[in-house]
Amino acid sequence: MERLKNIADLIKVKEQYHMQQKRWKRQVLVCGGAGCISSHCEAVQKALRASVKDHFLEEEVNVLVTGCMGTCAAGPVLLVEPDGIFYTEMTPEKVEDIVLRHLAGEEVCEKYTFYDHELHAHIPKLENISFFENQVRIALRNCGRMDYASMEAYIARDGYRAAANALNYLKSADVVEIMKRSGLRGRGGAGFPTGLKWEAGMKAVSAAGRKFIVCNADEGDPGAFMDRGILEGDPHSIIEGMLLGGFAIGAAKGYVYVRAEYPIAVARLGEAIRQARAAGILGTNIFGSNITFDLEIRIGAGAFVCGEETSLLASIEGQRGEPRQKPPFPHEKGLFSCPTIINNVETLANVAPIVLNGPEWYRSFGTRESTGTKVFALAGDIVNAGIIEVPMGTSLGDIIYKIGGGIVGGKAFKAIQSGGPTGGCLTKAYLNTPVDYESLAQLGAIMGSGGLVVMDEDTCMVDTARYFVDFIRDESCGQCLPCRNGTKRMQEILERITEGKGQEGDLELLEELAETIKQTAMCGLGQTAPNPVLSTLKYFRQEYENHIIDKHCDAGVCADLQTSPCCNACPANVFVPGYITLLSAGRFEDAYQVIRQENPFPSVCGRICTHPCETHCRRGQVDEAVAICSLKRFIGDYSLRDEYQVPLVTPQAPTGKRVSVIGAGPSGLSCAYYLANLGHQVDVYETEPVAGGVLYWGIPEYRLPKAVLAKEIMAIEKSGVTIHLNTRVGQDISFDAVKEQSDAVYVAVGTQLARLLDVPGEDLIGVESGLAFLKRVGLKRDLSVPGRLVVIGGGSTAIDVARTAVRLGARSVTVVYRRTENEMPAGAKEVQEAREEGIEILTLTSPTEFIGENNHVAGIKLIRRQQTDYGKDGRRRTAHIPGSGFVIPCDGIVTAINQDVDHQVYTIAQMEINKFTGQTSQEGVFAGGDINPWNSNVAIQAIADGKRSAINIDRYLGGSGQLNKGGCFTIPEAPDNEVDEPHMRFKTRILPVEERYDNFKEVDSGFHKLDAIGEALRCLHCDKR
Amino acid sequence: MVQITINGKQIAAREGATIMEAAKQAGIRIPSLCQYKDIHKYGSCRICVVEVEDMDHQQASCITAVREGMVIRTHSPKIRSARKILYELLLSNHPRDCLNCHRSQNCELQSLGYELGVTESRLAGEQTKSRLDISPAITRDTSKCVLCRRCVTVCKQVQQVGAIGAQNRGFDTVVGPAMGLPLASTDCTMCGQCTVVCPTGALQETESLTSVWKALADSDKRVIVQVAPAVRAALGEEFDMPCGTPVTGKTATALHELGFDDVFDTLFAADLTSIKAGTKLLNRLNVALTGGEAVLPMITCCSSGWIKHIERQFPDQRDHLSICKSPHTMLGARMKSFYAEKAGKDAKDMFVVSVMPCIAKKDEIQRPEMQVDGHPDVDAVLTTRELARMMKSAGIDLVNLPEGDFDAPLGLSTGAADIFGVTDGIMEAVLRTVYELVTGRKLSFENLQIAPAVGSDQIKTASVTMENTLPAYQYLEGVTVNVAVASGMEGASILMKEVAAGTSPYHFIEVMGCPGGCINGGGQPRTREEGYLEKRSQALYSY
């Protein structure tokens, strides 16, 4: 290009460029960002060009390569303009199809366009994709929108206008003033106002007559690639920013410090610098002014600490990358002892638009204290991993869900790491936090340079802290003691905890150590090094304690604390790989015994368990999780086929100790079973006329046949447990009397008080709670159902009520739920089966009033809801849509929202339950099951609680706490059946809807024996290590 | 002056002073480890942290300058607990073999624990591996290093050698030569200044006591010891005598008691060196003044560290050296030849020990030119510190010993050589010798104006004009001889750059490898006493 001497020259280049562009009918922009390069966009590019040629479209289709478009996870991506169609996950084959059908055939290939996982739909147009819709791109204005290698393209998008204008018509002080008024703050993380920094640089007097401006492009945070995106996608924006900065502070020389790991950035920036020099934009007499400015790239060797400004300067000077004492600050004594201003890449990318459009324009984005936009790199367990730019103050939840597309695999969000390895973790309780400097700092996190690492529920926070501390330990420069030795010791302690060798006092020591490192380290790296430890300890202390006391990693990450992910996920710690192997070897009864060692209800759980084991099954990463729950059911059913042949455990000799259990639900019976096997005399008191508790009356027959439950309870009784039915403690016998007659008491009364909705009309006749409904039907006390029923709630209870009502003859049943279907606590299978049975499900709807006639329910007033911000539990909250109310006439309403413990009788409110032992504050009294405040109210948790309490009760009674679980089983070698081809689950047999909707026959009749064995062979045997 | 408050006390502090300096002035001692005199203010150990109001983090007081209005707390509960953790961190990466460490009770890390009142160490974990690097003069043990980096500063900034630096990073950081090379293969001059500043047992002289004890126990060996002047000016410090106490007589007694067969004074050989060097200088001046080619300036070569330095850094300028043996090897050579003959002993049965303030001499005696027929001129060099240890282990109470004498005939000297141990000592001795030779008169001190040179406190210069010369030296009449003295490699390098450029105005240059000369040698007692150099040199001049 010829030398550009003034603004008129720039305008000429712009016009020429636009003229040239007009001849193309279409432009295909292929993303050439680092993410797409690693997913082989070059092959796509080649195929595209070849195909365009093959179809004789060379004259009308222009193929060009851009910088990063942002959707790195969906790469390689391309954009067809002017249609605005955005294609993702391109391959050479798909791209040929697009050329044929779209470029030549004028037909949008929808199946290749962006897929929205929330909406479960393809969104062809870029402008409609929520990822782009919610962004404002200033620093990224050109990234992914133009040919990164073309300076003409940059100029055509008003590039270098700001610089030409400033150099010709403004004074240094004017530029400084513009930056000050814009409110732009350092995007490297600390957030120091850029204008003030430049002012200090401008006023600084250099004894040597030299000043420098330095661009910090030593982006080293794991999961951060914003600066890289800008350098690779729009290198001229950095040159222009530095030119303006150099002009403002009076520097004639600038350095760009880039890490060696960014070779593409170095090459593209280097080429841009050559272009700029050739055009006279760098050098002497720039744009006809008397300004001289030039740039040099310095490549760092990849030491993280060199991102710290004083270390960076040392590195440019050729010294070992170690920090220096501040003050003096770099603007006083910086590079080669001269005044130096250091800005981050993103900061510099914002400069030209601010100077061009004015500070007020910039201030119109963002918040008062944090103006403008911020670029973030989304990484981790997030659907749309990539680079985004949003106005400051956008909420964390919106970034994760609206732009980020939520969590991969529909898992639950657990935490987000902001500000790199030395930043902090924020939890689901903080999704409403506006992302700006102040708000994040208030929560103990930092904005940092913009790396956001999203972690899902399968993340172990202790392991995460260990990982980040390990990173920092590795990157510590070694100059000052607290960082050098302190990070090493923190890492060792954390490693110990994740290996199950944590000790009491470790957390306190960690805290003391972390606080000292934070206070005494020399530079920012060391001072923030303990942040991962401090912030995870603050928000996830419980998880640390579980590792240290329980030796359990809830997320199933820490390998030394588990035999396999499925076992680890099971609250009762059932040896899943063991019984699956026995099953595949045809040893069904042995398999039953292996399950029964840890859980006395195999057949029951095989039907109704929430099976967290399957969620963590590694096979799920290949194709589909092993159907562990159904396999368990098969084993149970097979073993119990003859009730006189139930395999049993022989109890130990009587100990003479007596234990009373209150409540014959799963928790009470489990506890009783294990205690009886130890030789203790156990009496169970049950209010109802049948044992089983909620398993009996709370779960309808079509899901859990009463006969199955009865067999497993009978097996428990055979161990010597005495169950006293129709005996309500507090009424038929006093709690004190129970305590009097026993050496220990286990309270497992469950949660049976229904919560109220708090809407008018709840006292009308025809309104009942879900549990009350199921109980009266389950105990066959009253089988009447209203003709038109509305059920409120989204859990299993609500769905069970609805399906029971259908079976009992209700004409119409509607389930009303206030959130979306994705968020329903009931299983997707249950919901689908309910629909098949004719049940209507209204989501994002809630009741406002129960309408009565003559004191009886006659209808329900409902209102539509919409998603708003985020609740403390991380779920999207919903709110009424004003004016969307409507009425459904009905004869009965069942509220199935939540249950509470009945505190009246047992004064459990006054009992503090120890999380790790189940012991209460009352001597000899233990408690567990649903009343345990730490539990999720599911059967398997109740069973696990009962078992653990049996151990602790035995210890309390002077025993060893070693349960008598029966004999040992040698698990055979798993057959080596590695199959290369994926294979989805074998299917169980489901009753067709017409055979089930009007009766209580079991809907799922389980596996055929052959299928069960086949399914068992799908196990990957993670326990074999 | 700026007004600051430390622990509630109002203090006027010098502008630019560090918090630590201001506190010291106010009688408040802030514990520290890495900081060393004015030489090394680095802030790496953080032990000296203090609380400063309105600052987010605790500040290292050794590198933080005072500012008007600062409110500082130096021993608050927070600070004391931070220091405790920091100390525990130090200990967690230290071998803790204090009971059998040569620095026991003379270890700054050890005393720091006492000062901080730390009585527990809760942190344990991986420790830096012990890698021993034993060069002829210096022994390094990475496991005992606390990475204060004093040695790096003294080597790079003070001596301008830069043989060692921080290698690797983070917890793997070790101090040593680049790429893990042994010290002996680097540009290390073996001056041993690093061993003087090391606060722990990481750096020390390579020990020679074993061979000396062995020789003493061997009845067939005649074991001769010679003592350099600077040793006697500092040895007392090792026995808690006040700095600057001369202990020449007591040393002679002690050496006899240790069982050495002959106890000689290196001063005798120093006189030989002065005469030899003076003569060589006269020869070169003669050649130069009579139109011949002579290599000037002539440079002394008594300092073995300096010899190594010039060989490595200025190999082309080696001809400037006076090519005299250093005094102790000169003496050693006489022992093995002339004295052995006199004593009727075979050279192989003579064992010569030099007690030196220097560590580099340990290296020097292993040089091939310091051997005759496979017999080294000197068999072992002990440092002042080693001699003290030897005496202690033999139960010799130096303080209460009677004054003794060195043995004749090699125990006598002129006195001019006494001052070999301080900077400008050799130069003075040589000049006196030359002046006396040339004029037949003693040099009066008024004629000798020694002035510090501009640009370095390691250089001094002087001039003396030859008047009324003896007839043999007529050619020197009215000639002004310019001399310069450098103590420390930095000053030496400055002078050498002039020499290399051909712009040196001097006829004679004395170089001592250690800053301050032999009294501050690498083998001398470690002291943090103020003004110790002056006190030691006074002790030397007091003879």
Side-chain angles (χ1 to χ4, degrees), chain B residues 248-253 256 402-406:
Chain B
T248 312
K250 289 176 191 290
T251 307
T253 309
H256 280 120
E403 303 283 324
D405 287 317
F406 287 103

Side-chain angles (χ1 to χ4, degrees), chain A residues 226-390:
Chain A
M226 308 75 55
D227 294 350
R228 172 181 198 164
I230 296 173
L231 287 172
E232 292 177 2
D234 193 12
H236 284 284
S237 69
I238 301 305
I239 299 176
E240 189 175 5
M242 290 190 75
L243 174 57
L244 282 162
F247 170 68
I249 66 165
K253 179 80 189 267
Y255 287 93
V256 184
Y257 187 85
V258 199
R259 55 208 318 253
E261 290 92 330
Y262 283 0
I264 304 173
V266 171
R268 291 185 184 175
L269 179 65
E271 181 52 33
I273 290 175
R274 274 186 289 280
Q275 290 170 349
R277 275 195 199 125
I281 291 171
L282 291 175
T284 51
N285 299 104
I286 301 170
F287 291 122
S289 71
N290 57 0
I291 302 294
T292 298
F293 186 77
D294 207 349
L295 279 181
E296 193 177 315
I297 298 177
R298 282 292 166 104
I299 300 174
F304 184 64
V305 74
C306 288
E308 193 278 336
E309 59 182 9
T310 58
S311 311
L312 184 150
L313 295 181
S315 178
I316 293 181
E317 289 171 6
Q319 318 269 349
R320 181 178 161 93
E322 284 183 348
R324 300 167 181 173
Q325 168 80 355
K326 286 193 286 191
F329 292 98
H331 74 259
E332 298 160 337
K333 194 179 167 204
L335 194 57
F336 305 112
S337 298
C338 299
T340 303
I341 294 301
I342 304 161
N343 290 123
N344 158 270
V345 170
E346 186 189 337
T347 313
L348 291 166
N350 277 303
V351 170
I354 292 173
V355 173
L356 190 66
N357 302 317
E360 281 69 32
W361 166 81
Y362 192 72
R363 294 194 75 92
S364 70
F365 305 100
T367 65
R368 229 178 77 84
E369 297 296 322
S370 302
T371 60
T373 56
K374 176 79 193 87
V375 180
F376 291 104
L378 294 180
D381 306 317
I382 191 156
V383 174
N384 298 332
I387 301 180
I388 62 162
E389 183 172 0
V390 290

Side-chain angles (χ1 to χ4, degrees), chain A residues 198-239:
Chain A
W198 286 15
E199 188 172 46
M202 179 180 74
K203 289 183 175 165
V205 181
S206 169
R210 290 191 300 171
K211 291 184 189 179
F212 298 102
I213 183 162
V214 173
C215 169
N216 183 349
D218 191 67
E219 185 176 50
D221 293 353
F225 41 101
M226 308 75 55
D227 294 350
R228 172 181 198 164
I230 296 173
L231 287 172
E232 292 177 2
D234 193 12
H236 284 284
S237 69
I238 301 305
I239 299 176

Side-chain angles (χ1 to χ4, degrees), chain A residues 302-304 319-320 322 325-327 473-482 484-486 488-489 492-493 496 509 512-513 516-522 527, chain B residues 42-46 49 56-59 63-64 81-82 85-86 89-90 92-93 122-127 146-147 149 156 166-173:
Chain A
F304 184 64
Q319 318 269 349
R320 181 178 161 93
E322 284 183 348
Q325 168 80 355
K326 286 193 286 191
R473 176 201 58 75
D474 198 40
E475 292 293 349
S476 164
C477 76
Q479 184 179 5
C480 79
L481 168 74
R484 181 181 70 235
N485 285 9
K488 172 78 177 171
R489 297 298 170 241
E492 286 170 339
I493 295 174
R496 232 172 44 213
L509 188 58
E512 209 180 317
L513 197 52
T516 302
I517 297 168
K518 185 176 174 175
Q519 276 299 324
T520 62
M522 184 158 189
Q527 287 159 4
Chain B
Y42 195 56
S44 70
C45 74
R46 316 306 280 181
V49 285
D56 290 344
H57 300 273
Q58 296 169 3
Q59 301 292 315
I63 49 171
T64 309
S81 94
I85 287 269
L86 290 171
L89 278 173
L90 276 170
S92 74
N93 189 26
R122 296 164 295 169
L123 298 166
E126 191 192 329
Q127 298 199 348
V146 291
L147 293 167
R149 310 245 196 123
K156 195 171 180 184
Q167 311 298 332
N168 310 328
R169 69 182 182 208
F171 188 77
D172 301 328
T173 308

Side-chain angles (χ1 to χ4, degrees), chain A residues 607 633 637 988-991 1002-1008:
Chain A
R607 289 171 163 82
R633 174 194 165 159
D637 287 359
T988 56
R989 295 159 295 185
I990 308 285
L991 275 192
E1002 197 173 9
V1003 174
D1004 187 339
S1005 19
F1007 272 129
H1008 186 280

